[in-house]
């Protein structure tokens, strides 16, 4: 009998480990595989038995109950919602909050060998995903294609968060693994490659989350006085942080080195005789020059239509107003928006404008300073009252502003599980400019979204749930848990991380894998 029970336990543990491996594979390549794996994981959990022991573990670890309670909070939110179709979809998306915490939190802890095999498959699939994305973007794509092609299986922001966890997993294997110690150089190489790929993805939220997590972890590690180089590492962290901040300050100063125009002395007509149009009240700038200045509309239109098959009054390859892109591009080259300005454009410039590239700097879009420039430009436009539509960061400022107003108006109970988008739609109608329907999005801040949905008390419950994992000792001291938690927590500042099934699965899977299934984290 005892042998039978032992064999049964081994079988269920093998199935458990295998399904966890399928989940880490599916998170990179297939949402369907993730869903099926979670269903099978639940079935295996129920068939395994040991219910009394599992219940004791759940009672012993309130973090499990808090996460399950977060799921039922969404169910409770049906009581004061009106859009039940959206609410039911949202509850379906949140199902991993019910299954994964219970299964990973109350199942028998897997061995170190099994845990490392899960990490190995995660690293392998992360590497495969990065190679596929690189091949698609750098080899198979056409000039002007969006860099988001580097993330063919999911949002590039979600992928950047996965790459962050992969970085820490690779370095964990290089330091902690005994069975795979001969592959230490490979793991270090993988960690460095994932960092490079993270920057190639250009997902600022992911980059900030991973850098923040990395700096905090290094600081924690170097705080152990027995660590030989703790002072040097701390000085290095401070130096790198100051270097990064200093570079941003230099970029901001450069951006605002704007050449002012005195209309009393400025040229009033182009060389071909057309009167220039000025609108200096419009503060859009490119490379220190005002976009809405020195415009000869008829010359600009006529000369452009001679050089391009795309109509001046039409759209570029990205669906943007071509005339606007042309004006911005000419300005970025310090050319006037007239006949001579268009004639001075090279064939590469014409191609760039046709493909929606609005600044000559963006031809070198792999430069980190180009990304910083984009964000400064968006912040400047938003701060001067321009429509942020289509701008990644500028829109977020709008989302947060609208979301904050909704929260202030509904601070006690929130608007319910299904009505968040409805309230955003109503607020968008009150703006002084028109936002297209496809850009009328939600808060892009998970904390704000929780407050809007369930009120201030719901937000407090949510934050309490997130930090409750630190009650579980010694697992919460694990660098894997701390690193992945910081990435997750920081990402929710500018993303609704838990509003997609992948986001929920990613968050709770690594949270509970590292908190409950990582053996001997202090070894």
């Amino acid at each position: 009998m005892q042998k039978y029970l032992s064999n049964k336990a081994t079988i269920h543990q093998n199935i458990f480990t295998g399904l966890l491996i399928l989940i880490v594979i599916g998170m990179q390549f297939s949402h369907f595989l993730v869903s099926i794996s979670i269903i099978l994981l639940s079935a295996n959990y129920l068939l395994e038995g040991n219910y009394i022991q599992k219940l004791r573990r759940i009672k012993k670890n309130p973090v499990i109950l808090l996460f399950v309670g977060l799921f039922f909070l969404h169910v409770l939110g049906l009581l004061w919602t009106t859009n039940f179709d959206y609410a039911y979809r949202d509850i379906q998306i949140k199902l991993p909050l019910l299954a994964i915490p219970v299964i990973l939190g109350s199942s028998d802890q897997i061995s170190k060998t099994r845990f490392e095999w899960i990490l190995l498959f995660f690293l392998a699939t992360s590497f495969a995903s990065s190679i596929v994305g690189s091949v698609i973007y750098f080899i198979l794509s056409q000039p002007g294609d969006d860099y988001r092609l580097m993330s063919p299986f999911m949002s590039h922001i979600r992928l950047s968060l996965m790459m962050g966890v992969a970085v820490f997993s690779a370095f964990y294997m290089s330091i902690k693994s005994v069975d795979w110690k001969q592959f230490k150089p490979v793991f270090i190489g993988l960690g460095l490659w994932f960092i490079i790929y993270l920057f190639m993805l250009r997902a600022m939220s992911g980059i900030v989350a991973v850098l923040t997590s990395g700096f905090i972890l290094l600081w924690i590690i170097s705080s152990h006085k027995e660590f030989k180089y703790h002072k040097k590492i701390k000085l290095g962290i401070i130096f790198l942080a100051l270097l990064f901040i200093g570079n941003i300050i230099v970029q901001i100063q450069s951006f605002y080195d704007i050449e002012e125009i005195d209309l009393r002395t400025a040229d009033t007509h182009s060389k071909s005789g057309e009167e220039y149009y000025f609108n200096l009240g419009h503060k859009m700038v490119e490379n220190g020059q005002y976009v809405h200045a020195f415009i000869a509309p008829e010359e600009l239109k006529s000369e452009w239509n001679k050089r391009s098959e795309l109509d001046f009054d039409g759209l570029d390859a990205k669906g943007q107003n071509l005339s606007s892109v042309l004006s911005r591009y000419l300005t970025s080259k310090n050319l006037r928006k007239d006949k001579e300005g268009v004639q001075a454009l090279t064939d590469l410039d014409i191609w760039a404008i046709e493909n929606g590239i609005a600044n000559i700097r963006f031809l070198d879009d792999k430069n980190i300073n180009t990304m910083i420039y984009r964000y400064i430009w968006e912040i400047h436009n938003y701060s001067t009252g321009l429509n942020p539509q289509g701008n990644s960061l500028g829109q977020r400022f709008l989302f947060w502003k609208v979301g904050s107003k909704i929260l202030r108006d509904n601070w006690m109970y929130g608007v319910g599980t299904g009505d968040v988008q409805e309230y955003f739609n109503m607020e968008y109608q009150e703006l002084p400019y028109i936002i297209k329907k496809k850009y009328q999005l939600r808060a892009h801040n998970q904390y704000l979204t929780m407050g809007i949905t369930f009120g201030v008390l719901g937000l407090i419950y949510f934050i309490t749930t997130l930090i409750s994992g630190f009650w579980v000792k010694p697992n919460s001291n694990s660098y894997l848990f701390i690193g992945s938690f910081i990435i997750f927590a920081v990402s929710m500042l500018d993303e609704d991380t838990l509003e997609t099934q992948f986001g929920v699965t990613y968050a709770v899977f690594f949270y509970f894998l590292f908190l409950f299934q990582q053996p001997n984290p202090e070894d």
Side-chain angles (χ1 to χ4, degrees), residues 17 75 92 107 110 136 158 219 267 272 360 370 381 469 480 521:
T17 306
V75 176
Q92 187 176 11
S107 293
I110 57 178
I136 291 174
R158 300 283 186 268
W219 191 272
D267 293 340
S272 299
I360 190 171
T370 300
N381 280 2
L480 277 177

Side-chain angles (χ1 to χ4, degrees), residues 168-179:
F168 295 127
S169 298
F171 289 132
Y172 168 90
M173 290 295 293
S174 71
I175 297 169
K176 294 283 190 177
S177 179
V178 175
D179 295 340

Side-chain angles (χ1 to χ4, degrees), residues 21 25 43 49 76 78 110 116 126 158 171 202 231 236 262 305 309 336 377 382 439 478 496 509 516:
I21 289 173
I25 294 173
L76 184 65
L78 293 173
I110 57 178
E116 289 182 354
S126 296
R158 300 283 186 268
F171 289 132
R202 278 165 278 177
K231 289 184 179 179
D262 188 345
N305 286 337
E309 294 182 1
R336 294 184 175 183
W377 184 87
Y382 181 79
Y439 295 118
S478 157
D496 286 327
F509 178 81
F516 287 99

Side-chain angles (χ1 to χ4, degrees), residues 305-336:
N305 286 337
K306 291 178 183 178
R307 296 207 58 184
S308 173
E309 294 182 1
L310 295 185
D311 186 69
F312 176 85
D313 295 318
L315 304 176
D316 62 26
K318 292 183 179 178
Q320 307 167 115
N321 290 328
L322 191 143
S323 58
S324 175
V325 175
L326 173 60
S327 292
R328 288 178 57 192
Y329 195 94
L330 285 165
T331 305
S332 76
K333 292 194 69 174
N334 198 19
L335 295 171
R336 294 184 175 183

Side-chain angles (χ1 to χ4, degrees), residues 19 30 47 110 170 208 223 270 307 484 500 507:
L19 290 172
S30 170
L47 292 172
I110 57 178
V208 170
S223 294
S270 69
R307 296 207 58 184
S484 62
T500 64

Side-chain angles (χ1 to χ4, degrees), residues 24-39:
V24 299
I25 294 173
M27 279 197 287
Q28 290 285 11
F29 294 113
S30 170
H31 290 185
F32 176 75
L33 181 59
V34 171
S35 298
I36 290 297
S37 298
I38 292 175
I39 292 172

Side-chain angles (χ1 to χ4, degrees), residues 26 31 64 132 140 179 186 202 245 300 310 314 338 348 363 418:
H31 290 185
I64 301 172
V132 170
L140 302 179
D179 295 340
V186 175
R202 278 165 278 177
I245 294 170
L300 191 61
L310 295 185
D338 56 17
L348 176 61
L363 288 173

Side-chain angles (χ1 to χ4, degrees), residues 46-272:
L46 294 173
L47 292 172
E48 185 182 26
N50 299 329
Y51 300 125
I52 294 176
Q53 187 178 23
K54 289 174 179 177
L55 283 172
R56 285 173 180 167
R57 288 172 182 160
I58 292 173
K59 288 172 64 177
K60 183 181 176 182
N61 292 290
V63 59
I64 301 172
L65 294 174
L66 284 169
F67 271 87
V68 171
L70 190 58
F71 171 81
F72 284 106
L73 182 60
H74 285 78
V75 176
L76 184 65
L78 293 173
L79 295 177
W80 61 95
T81 196
T82 58
N83 189 339
F84 287 99
D85 289 338
Y86 189 96
Y88 291 144
R89 285 197 304 272
D90 191 50
I91 289 173
Q92 187 176 11
I93 287 171
K94 300 297 193 300
L95 279 172
L97 285 172
L98 183 61
I100 293 177
V102 171
I103 296 172
L104 269 65
S106 65
S107 293
D108 290 339
Q109 190 179 74
I110 57 178
S111 67
K112 187 176 178 64
T113 299
R114 291 174 183 269
F115 179 77
E116 289 182 354
W117 271 108
I118 294 169
L119 293 188
L120 285 171
F121 273 94
F122 175 56
L123 292 174
T125 52
S126 296
F127 180 70
S129 174
S130 68
I131 294 300
V132 170
S134 298
V135 169
I136 291 174
Y137 181 64
F138 290 106
I139 299 176
L140 302 179
S141 66
Q142 299 298 316
D145 282 346
D146 198 309
Y147 64 87
R148 291 177 179 84
L149 289 174
M150 294 180 69
S151 179
F153 305 107
M154 69 184 81
S155 155
H156 72 300
I157 295 175
R158 300 283 186 268
L159 181 58
S160 70
L161 303 181
M162 294 283 285
M163 288 297 155
V165 178
V167 168
F168 295 127
S169 298
F171 289 132
Y172 168 90
M173 290 295 293
S174 71
I175 297 169
K176 294 283 190 177
S177 179
V178 175
D179 295 340
W180 300 87
K181 62 181 178 180
Q182 66 270 34
F183 293 99
K184 182 175 182 177
V186 175
F187 294 130
I188 293 174
L190 280 174
L192 295 175
W193 163 248
F194 292 141
I195 292 172
I196 293 170
Y197 194 71
L198 178 67
F199 280 90
M200 289 163 60
L201 285 169
R202 278 165 278 177
M204 182 57 78
S205 58
I207 291 172
V208 170
V210 175
L211 287 180
T212 302
S213 183
F215 279 134
I216 292 174
L217 273 182
L218 279 174
W219 191 272
I220 292 172
I221 293 170
S222 63
S223 294
H224 297 307
K225 292 186 177 180
E226 68 273 11
F227 192 77
K228 187 177 179 181
Y229 302 105
H230 63 92
K231 289 184 179 179
K232 291 181 179 180
I233 287 183
K234 283 187 175 180
L235 287 174
I237 293 171
I238 294 171
F239 173 75
L240 289 174
L242 291 175
L243 189 66
F244 183 71
I245 294 170
N247 181 51
I248 293 177
I249 292 172
V250 169
Q251 295 300 317
I252 293 172
Q253 289 176 335
S254 174
F255 183 91
Y256 283 102
D257 183 17
I258 300 171
E259 183 178 331
E260 297 298 335
I261 299 173
D262 188 345
L263 294 177
R264 295 172 298 180
T265 58
D267 293 340
T268 59
H269 290 74
S270 69
K271 290 182 179 180
S272 299

